[in-house]
Amino acid sequence: MADMLEIRWHGRGGQGAKTASLLLAEAAAMEGKYSQGFPDYGPERMGAPMRGFNRISEEPIRLHCAIYSPKIVVVLDDTLISTADIASGLPDDGIIIVNTLKKPAEIRAELGLEGRMIYTVNATGIAIDEIGRPIPNSPMLGALVKVSPFLPLESVIEQIKKKFSHGFRPEVLEGNVRAINRAYEEVTSE
Amino acid sequence: MREKSWREIPIGGMIEDAGNADTYETGSWRTYRPIWDAEKCIHCLACWIACPDSAIQLKDGKMVGIDYSHCKGCGICAFECPDKIAALEMKLETEVND
Amino acid sequence: MARRLTLSGNDAAAEAMRQIDPDVVTCFPITPQTELMHKFAEFVADGEVKAEMVLVESEHSAMSAAVGAASAGARVMTATAANGLALMWEIVYIAASNRLPIVMPVVNRALSGPINIHCDHSDTMGCRDTGWIQLYSENAQEVYDNVLQAIRIAENPDVLLPVMVTFDGFIISHTVEVLDALEDKDARGWIGDYKSTYSLLNTDEPATFGPLDLQDYYFEHKRQQIEGMNNATAVIKSVGEAYGKLSGRAYGMTENYKTDDADYVVIALGSTCGTAKVVVDEMRAEGKRVGLLKLRSFRPFPHAEIVAGLASAKAVAVLDRSVSFGAPGGPVHKEILAALNGTGHTTSIVNYLYGLGGRDISTTHIRTVFEELETVAGKSIPADEVRFIGLRG
Amino acid sequence: MPAPKQLAEREDLMSGGHRACAGCLPMTAMRQMLLTAGKDTVVGCATGCVEVVTTIYPYTAWKTPFIHNAFENSAATISGAEAAYVSLKKQGKIDKKINFVAMGGDGGTYDIGIQALSGAMERGHNMLYICYDNQAYMNTGIQRSGGTPKGTATSTTPAGKVIPGKTQFPKPLTEIMIAHDIPYVAQATPGYPKDFSDKVEKALAIDGPAFINVLTPCTRGWRYPPEQSMEYARLAVNTCFWPLFEVEYGVIKINRKPKNILPVSKWFEGQGRFRHLFKEENKGIIDEIQAEVDRKWTLLLKREEMTQA
């Protein structure tokens, strides 16, 4: 299972962390990979900190326990940095991607973290511009596959199209696609 | 009815023979017996519609007798028979010559 | 031809239900079963199924209406979890006693209290003597496969018993993963038509269902039920083989994973088995002879497969995800001891209680269990010795 | 509309040989219901006297399909059977018209079964629910139910030195069913067979859920001589304790307005369960019940006038 990629998403209820993790699982499967997507479940409602998870592998995935040491952590809301233990279990070569206006170095300072790689992108801004709503999950998927190219951008976009082709206006779909592309371009490293 | 083995009966407690309670005789429950006087009877069927045991026998919409194999002797029939007609009378089983 | 899908366990069950397209589906929502029924309700709303969906006011009525519909000759399904299963419990017995082949996915969840929505097996283990067949599923793939097989098992004339297909709440029900599904025509061909022996709707041959059954016949009817459950073992195997020919995924009563020469064997059911297989592979790579015995069918209980699977075992860990309060060990443990009784097995058997209320069981935990087995081999373990996994001391 | 003469042409679908008490009026109600509904009728009954006495394995008194499931779920069980019918009909697998009748005693209806009943009515199944109300849990030994009248001596509300029988008025079940806004609700009794038969016929003809509350005197539980079962049913009507009325799509019609309304004490007299009420110290209870009966009867007359308008 050495080749298995594990990802943890941090967000608040309503920001789409669960949707993003499920969407990513589907996109990976579409690429012929094996995948899992699952959220933490509790009684929390809109606004509460919550987490989503992914496993992605070339081989069938048998593990059904919690993810303790993700390779990548995606943070949908930078206000979580001070409250959620976002670096928990992250190995030295792990990656953190944060939706924020701040620079990676500022995030590193806030976290007091050494090692690992930190990336930032203004996903909320992009979402407001392109989709008209501050839902950062789609652009963060774009940033994620840029930082760790385990999936082609096209397959994520394809999955988004599938997801939004039913029951959504075409503008929403197109906005999401633009948002993913922009985040893919705009995500910055240290 | 001979008690059957588990291999001989339908599964799930199904009873396939609708209305087979008919073969179970409750007539022995009686202490009083309704005696019907065909001459007096006006066939109003007040007894028949009230009988809890389907024991009033009809033919072509007219009363023809009492099913003593099921009649429990409750006496509703005689009570419901119009007072002026009085075609049904309850008698102690021990007093009735069978 | 398989269709590769990415679905949660709940959606996998719903997908199988879409293909089965029962005549009647009764339903009352309970976490973590809700999304299964949401998905099926979408199929109904979109006209993809012909099923009549009865949205009842309680689980008690869900099972009651299922009994009514099945008695009317319909193919019937419902689904529930935990407290919902407990509320329908009285009628769960009646469904089995009346020999109604109802199939019910049960999403395993801790049975209160205090109230908890996460996985353990206290709900279905509490139902193990209701007369239902119980198939436990490791992942979404098995959820889908088991639901399709359950119909054939339940409706087999030698069986005619209801089937619970269980899967772990959230761990399986809410995890999206990859599975292969049958093409619709293959699934429909597999399921076939259903013709019940009796039907309330047959007014020309009226029958009485659910009579008062006293000292003179009740025992005979229970004996028939025992026979149906006994017959189920062969039927589960033959259905599992036939399904293997159709789908490439064959099933048995158990999955004996690398147990053939194993010194140390873990016995478990549900999602934990997947995690345990990973540990078995890792430890095998390290040269350790370890294996997993996965119970797929808990009712009927797979005695023969267990005896075979433990043939070489020096020590065995039985993992229970529910408590049998006051009994020596959990329900699975007791059954394993009973299965080995009289077979001459001298294996050391240790009972572990784990995962109550959704407490995670990790690869590290399972590795520790195997390591502990190495230390107990050859020792006599008291039947009432229970060890705990992941419990704060 | 069927009177006994017309019903006599039909097949009696309840066999003799069931084990009900001599003089059991619930069984008379069953016969009358079946004569009206006919053979293409699926009947379900809650656990209780009727179910027990008619289906002692290997015997059944039912000549129609019959199902007993449990105590509290007669309405849910029949709603499932009806759903199966709808499904199979939709698929072209069945064609003929079938009636669905769910039943329960007052225990199985007023009390333990009210949730399933309420749910089935709300869902709008095309079925008739009949409560055969004998005003206590007779099957288990005459314990009080939510339908037991105030002042009644039962096994669980005995007429004691301190407490003179049941202290509460009965739950107004018929009114609760009217409040469900279903197409048809009625009160009846086999003591008036034509009225009851008319109501069953109407309820089955209507598309959607219907409910009939049927007062069925119980010789054992009420403690009167068995031959007087029909008479006690009629007395309940003629004292206005049990008005015969129906509510069709919200419009109330009183089916029998007694010319000489008798005092409720006339109905109580001769019933052992009310004997203690005639003691001097309990007279006030009869007055209280009479006042309540008067109030409800007056209100019913006004409601009839109001809804007929």
Side-chain angles (χ1 to χ4, degrees), chain C residues 7-203:
Chain C
L7 297 175
S8 68
N10 273 337
D11 285 355
E15 173 64 6
M17 284 173 71
R18 180 187 68 78
Q19 293 180 318
I20 293 163
D21 196 1
D23 300 310
V24 174
V25 171
T26 67
C27 162
F28 188 80
I30 181 168
T31 304
Q33 157 265 33
T34 44
E35 293 181 359
L36 190 169
M37 284 301 176
H38 296 174
K39 188 47 115 182
F40 193 76
E42 286 175 21
F43 295 141
V44 173
D46 289 338
E48 291 185 42
V49 290
K50 63 178 192 302
E52 191 67 18
M53 201 169 181
V54 187
L55 301 168
V56 286
E57 81 298 331
S58 68
E59 286 90 354
H60 194 285
S61 284
M63 186 49 66
S64 300
V67 165
S71 302
R75 182 179 269 156
V76 184
M77 295 184 74
T78 182
T80 192
N83 301 51
L85 182 59
L87 184 59
M88 51 168 80
W89 204 56
E90 177 198 22
I91 317 303
V92 167
Y93 266 90
I94 291 170
S97 303
N98 289 11
R99 309 301 294 273
L100 302 172
I102 297 163
V103 171
M104 172 166 69
V106 179
V107 188
N108 282 117
R109 161 181 157 180
L111 194 47
S112 301
I115 194 164
N116 175 295
I117 57 169
H118 290 280
C119 172
D120 68 36
H121 297 158
S122 49
D123 50 4
T124 50
M125 281 297 159
C127 266
R128 63 193 185 273
D129 294 336
T130 54
W132 284 58
I133 291 165
Q134 291 190 336
L135 302 178
Y136 285 74
S137 318
E138 182 187 315
N139 50 34
Q141 180 74 64
E142 292 193 6
V143 172
Y144 171 83
D145 292 340
N146 281 341
V147 171
L148 284 180
Q149 289 173 74
I151 297 282
R152 288 268 297 257
I153 296 163
E155 292 173 3
N156 186 294
D158 293 335
V159 178
L160 284 173
L161 287 171
V163 182
M164 290 179 198
V165 173
T166 87
F167 51 103
D168 289 348
F170 292 107
I171 300 168
I172 300 302
S173 68
H174 284 62
T175 294
V176 161
E177 53 186 350
V178 178
L179 67 145
D180 290 330
L182 300 177
E183 294 291 346
D184 283 2
K185 66 170 173 41
D186 293 337
R188 302 246 152 93
W190 164 260
I191 290 300
D193 285 332
Y194 171 57
K195 182 89 178 75
S196 68
T197 314
Y198 303 99
S199 165
L200 282 171
L201 306 183
N202 185 357
T203 55

Side-chain angles (χ1 to χ4, degrees), chain B residues 53-67:
Chain B
D53 289 288
S54 315
I56 305 296
Q57 294 167 319
L58 302 187
K59 190 160 190 280
D60 300 328
K62 293 202 157 140
M63 181 168 178
V64 293
I66 295 168
D67 171 8

Side-chain angles (χ1 to χ4, degrees), chain D residues 14-220:
Chain D
M14 180 64 72
S15 83
H18 59 73
R19 318 299 168 85
C21 298
C24 173
L25 217 59
M27 286 311 300
T28 298
M30 296 303 129
R31 277 190 60 230
Q32 294 179 0
M33 180 275 286
L34 288 177
L35 281 164
T36 312
K39 70 178 262 301
D40 291 332
T41 302
V42 173
V43 182
C45 191
T47 311
C49 279
V50 164
E51 168 266 326
V52 165
V53 302
T54 56
T55 67
I56 301 181
Y57 192 88
Y59 299 101
T60 180
W62 297 89
K63 297 184 191 174
T64 60
F66 175 86
I67 182 167
H68 160 253
N69 190 343
F71 195 1
E72 62 291 339
N73 62 1
S74 167
T77 305
I78 287 300
S79 71
E82 190 262 359
Y85 173 69
V86 170
S87 175
L88 297 177
K89 202 163 189 187
K90 207 161 57 183
Q91 298 172 53
K93 291 182 179 172
I94 192 164
D95 189 27
K96 67 179 157 190
K97 162 95 171 83
I98 294 179
N99 300 315
F100 291 89
V101 178
M103 300 190 302
D106 48 301
T109 309
Y110 283 69
D111 291 348
I112 197 168
I114 195 167
Q115 174 179 316
L117 168 61
S118 179
M121 297 291 108
E122 180 272 329
R123 292 193 297 276
H125 296 278
N126 193 8
M127 62 185 269
L128 164 62
Y129 191 102
I130 292 178
C131 172
Y132 69 95
D133 181 358
N134 50 23
Q135 302 190 326
Y137 294 91
M138 300 312 182
N139 186 42
T140 47
I142 321 172
Q143 296 87 6
R144 66 91 87 182
S145 79
T148 303
K150 184 182 174 92
T152 307
T154 69
S155 309
T156 49
T157 58
K161 288 178 187 154
V162 181
I163 306 171
K166 193 192 176 204
T167 53
Q168 304 88 357
F169 282 106
K171 184 189 285 186
L173 180 69
T174 310
E175 299 300 329
I176 291 169
M177 299 321 294
I178 293 168
H180 279 67
D181 268 344
I182 53 178
Y184 189 78
V185 176
Q187 272 193 183
T189 169
Y192 287 94
K194 179 174 169 4
D195 178 77
F196 177 37
S197 175
D198 287 348
K199 285 172 177 170
V200 169
E201 191 161 275
K202 199 178 263 190
L204 292 175
I206 277 174
D207 191 26
F211 174 86
I212 308 179
N213 204 356
V214 184
L215 187 75
T216 51
C218 168
T219 167
R220 287 276 292 156

Side-chain angles (χ1 to χ4, degrees), chain C residues 192-381:
Chain C
D193 285 332
Y194 171 57
K195 182 89 178 75
S196 68
T197 314
Y198 303 99
S199 165
L200 282 171
L201 306 183
N202 185 357
T203 55
D204 296 328
E205 292 171 335
T208 288
F209 297 64
L212 177 65
D213 199 16
L214 298 174
Q215 300 95 321
D216 51 351
Y217 276 103
Y218 182 86
F219 204 172
E220 275 67 28
H221 287 125
K222 289 297 128 181
R223 178 63 186 85
Q224 293 177 326
Q225 245 179 289
I226 292 169
E227 192 70 2
M229 187 60 90
N230 289 347
N231 294 344
T233 299
V235 173
I236 291 169
K237 287 184 198 171
S238 67
V239 167
E241 277 173 36
Y243 189 76
K245 289 195 181 110
L246 178 69
S247 68
R249 295 180 300 278
Y251 286 82
M253 295 288 285
T254 62
E255 183 185 350
N256 294 1
Y257 187 75
K258 302 188 180 177
T259 57
D260 280 354
D261 64 340
D263 295 332
Y264 307 107
V265 175
V266 162
I267 299 178
L269 22 71
S271 64
T272 304
C273 295
T275 309
K277 283 176 189 170
V278 173
V279 179
V280 167
D281 288 353
E282 284 172 5
M283 294 182 77
R284 283 267 171 186
E286 296 159 16
K288 304 261 168 73
R289 292 203 297 199
V290 294
L292 166 79
L293 202 159
K294 176 173 92 180
L295 302 182
R296 174 184 180 235
S297 173
F298 190 75
R299 285 288 181 271
F301 197 74
H303 292 87
E305 287 78 1
I306 286 162
V307 173
L310 301 182
S312 67
K314 293 176 185 162
V316 175
V318 182
L319 271 50
D320 266 295
R321 203 163 193 161
S322 66
V323 191
S324 183
F325 293 101
V332 185
H333 174 242
K334 283 204 294 287
E335 300 273 351
I336 298 292
L337 293 185
L340 295 182
N341 190 30
T343 63
H345 257 284
T346 52
T347 317
S348 305
I349 298 176
V350 190
N351 189 204
Y352 287 87
L353 187 58
Y354 80 102
L356 299 192
R359 181 67 50 85
D360 191 41
I361 182 162
S362 67
T363 52
T364 313
H365 289 131
I366 294 169
R367 179 176 279 270
T368 305
V369 168
F370 276 121
E371 285 165 2
E372 285 184 14
L373 285 183
E374 292 177 26
T375 68
V376 303
K379 289 183 186 160
S380 171
I381 311 291

